[in-house]
Amino acid sequence: MGDSDQKALNALAKGAGITAIGMMISKALTYIYRVSIARFVGPEAYGQLSLGLMVIGIGSTIAYLSLGSSLQKFIPEFRNRGENARVRGVVLSALQMTLPLSILLTALIFFGADFIAIEIFENPELVPILKVLSFSIVLGIPSSIFFDTTLGFNKIIYKTVSVRIIQNIVQVGVTLILLLLGFQVISAAWGWIAGSIASLILGLYVLEKKIGPILFSRVKPIYQHGKMLRFSGPLILSGMIGTLMGWADTGFLGYYMTDFEVGLYNAALPTAMLILLPHKAIGSLALPSFSELKERNEEGVESSLKTATYWVFSLVLPTFLILLFFSEQTLHILFGSEYRAASMALSILAGGYLFDAVVGRVGSFLQSKGYTRYILYNNIAALTLNLCLNIVLIPMYGIIGAAVATASSTILTNLLMFIEVWKKEDIISIPNRKILQIIIVGLVPLAAVIGLDSLLFVDTPYWFLFPAGIIYYTLYILTFIKFIGLEDEEKEVILR
């Protein structure tokens, strides 16, 4: 492995480690936020909040124009060439293109809240939630630009601390205070807005004082509107499709079923996403790192891609197996006993996200190579499958049908990207031998834990998840070190 390869891996590992810590704290705070709503006002109100967040999520995706990828791609490339005027131009171009659109969409959702809530979802209780949450678009878009700029500078710490920790602390704190004062589910909407305001203020401070100055720099910008739109153009529709896939299950559940089912499903969905924590942590720096490697050393990309996949899978597999075999106990602990009904949906969703982790950061790699059209085509195919399965399966099977639709479309998207990287670049992102070793190492301690469970209980109690998890993770780590171990390059990464 060359020096440039090792440097890229060190950067990935360092940033991923920081991000993983931030994500763990963020997930903990997010669960406090979600559980607070679920336990204070019940699954129905939690379902209403989920529908509101769905509408805002779609609006935010449209307003952002997928420019985050452009920021993360072009900023490191221009920095490597010392073109500071173009770096500033990239950031200012992103703001100029997104701010007017975010203001327009905020107004449309605010004044159209009655139509959305009553005519589409036949739920007038959604109206105040939508009106409050609509302001998160105009607050959140500039914040996203500021922090995606820091990622372009490979400064992951600022987004981790500001967005994943401080924003969530403010969000949870305001929500809990308002809930205790008796404001019911609208408390969560105001908490969301408070967190968005905190993130916007912190983002501006970091951009100007820690990274820049950029907005108030005296460097004359060379604007990049056209270049950014050409790169992000296919990603705009692709990002919209991705958002629709992410929320289609919730939307169709809200249309065909009741708020109660929406609430149940939105307990299983974010829980299944826990297995993607390492995947997302490494992925947050994958595009900038791959872009820099592409500028310096094409041959180093494959090695970095395979190593990142190996790291991710070794961290993801244990959590997947726990969620698969102890899904009821997991939901009981996190959300309460009534959410155990979503256990099968949780297992199905976890399977789809495991495949996402197995194929590695192929999406980031395709973006770094400029194959954005392929990402668009992949997402169109996946959205088509997702919508068809949701329409057919949800009326018959409820949240199980929604889980099957989401898992199937996730698998299809990643399978297509894996094939494209293989065919276009002759790169296989999966280190087959190591993946097989990890699977064996993961299953052996699991068999021991399941055997202990069978000896002690007829019906596994929810509290058994705590000792079972500790025993399993301990045995997994020891078995991993004993039979797989760490290579010299990986030891160097960890020590750094």
Side-chain angles (χ1 to χ4, degrees), residues 326 328-334 340 449 452-453 456-471:
F326 296 95
E328 288 190 18
Q329 292 80 7
T330 301
L331 290 172
H332 188 152
I333 290 171
L334 292 173
R340 291 168 69 106
V449 171
L452 179 62
D453 178 30
L456 295 178
F457 311 105
V458 175
D459 185 16
T460 306
Y462 74 90
W463 58 262
F464 181 68
L465 183 63
F466 290 105
I470 294 172
I471 294 171

Side-chain angles (χ1 to χ4, degrees), residues 119-438:
E119 298 299 326
I120 298 178
F121 294 108
E122 299 180 353
N123 192 341
E125 294 179 346
L126 267 179
V127 174
I129 296 174
L130 288 172
K131 285 183 177 292
V132 174
L133 287 176
S134 65
F135 290 98
S136 67
I137 298 177
V138 74
L139 294 170
I141 296 302
S143 175
S144 296
I145 290 174
F146 297 158
F147 285 112
D148 278 334
T149 298
T150 68
L151 293 182
F153 281 82
N154 272 346
K155 301 293 184 181
I156 188 65
I157 185 66
Y158 299 123
K159 183 172 183 177
T160 298
V161 173
S162 301
V163 177
R164 303 195 185 283
I165 299 177
I166 296 178
Q167 179 177 349
N168 279 289
I169 288 174
V170 173
Q171 178 178 300
V172 170
V174 172
T175 298
L176 287 174
I177 290 171
L178 293 177
L179 282 172
L180 292 172
L181 292 175
F183 284 93
Q184 299 300 310
V185 69
I186 198 66
S187 305
W190 283 114
W192 193 274
I193 294 300
S196 298
I197 293 173
S199 177
L200 177 61
I201 294 171
L202 289 169
L204 181 60
Y205 172 79
V206 166
L207 186 72
E208 295 304 298
K209 300 298 183 181
K210 300 297 183 180
I211 298 296
I214 292 181
L215 299 184
F216 302 104
S217 171
R218 295 183 178 180
V219 175
K220 185 176 181 180
I222 300 177
Y223 292 102
Q224 303 293 318
H225 299 91
K227 187 170 187 175
M228 293 175 72
L229 283 177
R230 281 192 297 273
F231 177 79
S232 293
L235 293 177
I236 295 173
L237 181 56
S238 180
M240 187 64 214
I241 291 171
T243 299
L244 288 175
M245 283 196 297
W247 287 109
D249 41 14
T250 295
F252 280 111
L253 281 171
Y255 183 80
Y256 286 116
M257 312 298 284
T258 67
D259 291 340
F260 183 83
E261 281 79 14
V262 175
L264 290 180
Y265 183 78
N266 278 275
L269 182 62
T271 305
M273 288 181 176
L274 289 173
I275 68 173
L276 291 180
L277 278 176
H279 191 43
K280 290 182 177 179
I282 291 176
S284 63
L285 280 182
L287 178 56
S289 296
F290 290 153
S291 293
E292 289 186 8
L293 263 181
K294 181 172 73 71
E295 292 292 310
R296 299 196 308 263
N297 177 16
E298 289 280 354
E299 296 180 358
V301 176
E302 181 174 5
S303 176
S304 296
L305 183 59
K306 284 188 174 182
T307 303
T309 302
Y310 164 59
W311 288 347
V312 167
F313 190 73
S314 64
L315 295 170
V316 160
L317 182 65
T319 304
F320 164 74
L321 293 174
I322 289 292
L323 292 180
L324 181 64
F325 289 96
F326 296 95
S327 55
E328 288 190 18
Q329 292 80 7
T330 301
L331 290 172
H332 188 152
I333 290 171
L334 292 173
F335 288 91
S337 59
E338 57 191 329
Y339 289 92
R340 291 168 69 106
S343 61
M344 180 60 72
L346 171 57
S347 297
I348 294 170
L349 290 166
Y353 292 130
L354 177 69
F355 189 85
D356 189 349
V358 168
V359 299
R361 297 305 308 183
V362 286
S364 296
F365 178 78
L366 286 173
Q367 288 186 39
S368 74
K369 301 290 290 186
Y371 293 130
T372 54
R373 288 185 298 109
Y374 291 101
I375 297 175
L376 172 61
Y377 300 151
N378 298 339
N379 287 337
I380 290 174
L383 177 62
T384 302
L385 176 64
N386 184 277
L387 293 177
C388 291
L389 290 178
N390 273 311
I391 292 171
V392 172
L393 296 180
I394 286 179
M396 294 189 293
Y397 302 108
I399 62 174
I400 302 297
V404 170
T406 298
S408 299
S409 57
T410 299
I411 291 172
L412 177 62
T413 303
N414 285 276
L415 181 61
L416 290 174
M417 289 191 295
F418 172 80
I419 294 173
E420 287 154 2
V421 170
W422 174 31
K423 294 295 185 181
K424 289 292 180 181
E425 299 294 325
D426 195 26
I427 290 177
I428 300 293
S429 62
I430 303 175
N432 297 324
R433 183 178 62 84
K434 288 187 174 182
I435 293 296
L436 181 60
Q437 291 175 335
I438 294 169

Side-chain angles (χ1 to χ4, degrees), residues 5 35 44 47 55 64-65 96 158 160 167 169 190 251 263 272 409 420 440 448 489 494:
D5 302 359
V35 169
E44 291 85 359
V55 174
Y64 199 33
L65 298 175
Q96 290 172 355
Y158 299 123
T160 298
Q167 179 177 349
I169 288 174
W190 283 114
S409 57
E420 287 154 2
I440 295 172
E489 293 89 350
I494 292 173

